[in-house]
Amino acid sequence: MQFIVENWILILAAFVSGALLVWPMVSKGGIGASITTADAVRLINQEKAVLIDVREPSEFAAGHAAGARNVPLGALEGAKGLPSNKAVPLVVVCATGARSSRAAAQLRKAGYGSVHNLAGGTAAWRDASLPIEKSA
């Protein structure tokens, strides 16, 4: 007990530094919230993950990841393009990863258990030479 009383500043500093290390994981939706294109392909191939593109329909038509479903961010709540089984893994994608990060947080709040944001969005998908489709 005397050690704690004499070294309370060091104990407080250790606690604060630990909290600062944990904060980014908590504030961004947890460990593994953003994934790489390689991780996304693995999820799609091995766990039958569904790609959800949250860009506007005009952006989606100009070019999107092959097999992606278009569910714009503004119409995300109650959208029919989302899987009814909330246990199915979702990979959320947009142009650069900013909108999809917000969409992933909304989907987690809606009860989807495995939601992942594609880091870098469609740009990263293109850079990885993965298939891109265009709508007519």
Side-chain angles (χ1 to χ4, degrees), residues 52-118:
I52 305 293
D53 192 318
V54 296
R55 295 178 298 159
E56 294 302 315
S58 60
E59 295 174 283
F60 182 80
H64 56 271
R69 298 180 187 181
N70 186 220
V71 182
L73 179 61
L76 200 59
E77 289 186 38
K80 295 187 182 200
L82 296 173
S84 57
N85 181 357
K86 292 188 176 187
V88 171
L90 301 179
V91 177
V92 187
V93 61
C94 68
T96 61
R99 282 181 281 183
S100 58
S101 178
R102 291 193 315 256
Q106 282 184 335
L107 290 166
R108 282 187 202 99
K109 285 181 184 176
Y112 287 90
S114 180
V115 182
H116 307 276
N117 176 39
L118 181 64

